[in-house]
Amino acid sequence: MNLRRGFAASLSLAIVLSMLALFTVTAPSASAAATVSVFNGGSIQNAINAANNGDTIRVYPGVYLENLDFLGKAITVVGVTGPAQTTIDGRGLGPVVRFAANEPRGATLSGFTVKNGSDQFEGGGIQISVASPTVTNNVITGNHACSGSGGSAASSSALIAFNTSADNTQQGRTGGSGGGIYVRAAGAVEIRSNVIKGTRAETGGGIDLFAA
């Protein structure tokens, strides 16, 4: 009888240990990167607020009436089907997308139409300040600022590549520069293979560099 009990106890312990071993192998690490989906009617900013470094936010087709701030996070925000079907509309309430908290190259914005942004000074569409994100494969259009109506990068080493900046115009103060892209202050911004057209500014209608 005791032998049977001892055997049963050993067998139960072995099963428990096997289950624990299986859980340890298959359970995701608390620090593992997550992928989050945002659908039309949802909030991209809410997803950014909840994200951790390394996460990916996949945004599905729709028009998102938002002004986004990456909040210093090294995350990827991507329009799943590209800019023709996925729009972020800033409604003229400020820059459509801001990177202003030392975001690194790992902070990525890709695959959106970015429109109806504005700023009194610089960066109506995408405003980068003391940050170095990656901005690729976007259409940036219909935005307004004194300088860098399409986008600006100050004290930055951002990668800005394969975007189309179109029909962004100077608005507000006089003396505006860089209707498409305005780069200011020390840094090492990389601008590659962008199309800039229909942009307007007092100087540097396409790209303007100041103390950069």
Side-chain angles (χ1 to χ4, degrees), residues 112 114 137-141 161-166 168 193-197:
F112 296 94
V114 175
N137 298 302
N138 301 286
V139 174
I140 304 163
T141 185
F162 305 106
N163 303 285
T164 295
S165 180
N168 299 291
S193 302
N194 298 280
V195 175
I196 301 173
K197 60 184 181 180

Side-chain angles (χ1 to χ4, degrees), residues 43-80:
S43 170
I44 303 170
Q45 186 63 56
N46 285 348
I48 292 173
N49 294 346
N52 296 308
N53 289 338
D55 289 355
T56 297
I57 299 171
R58 292 169 56 84
V59 182
Y60 284 81
V63 177
Y64 296 83
L65 304 177
E66 301 191 65
N67 299 80
L68 305 182
D69 191 326
F70 268 60
L71 302 174
K73 298 181 180 182
I75 58 177
T76 296
V77 180
V78 58
V80 173

Side-chain angles (χ1 to χ4, degrees), residues 72-133:
K73 298 181 180 182
I75 58 177
T76 296
V77 180
V78 58
V80 173
T81 59
Q85 298 184 50
T86 313
T87 297
I88 309 171
D89 187 332
R91 302 159 292 168
L93 300 179
V96 183
V97 183
R98 294 183 74 241
F99 300 91
N102 204 33
E103 290 89 350
R105 283 280 180 96
T108 301
L109 179 78
S110 181
F112 296 94
T113 291
V114 175
K115 73 175 192 177
N116 289 337
S118 66
D119 191 83
Q120 183 180 4
F121 298 103
E122 60 190 45
I126 298 175
Q127 186 181 83
I128 302 169
S129 180
V130 195
S132 300

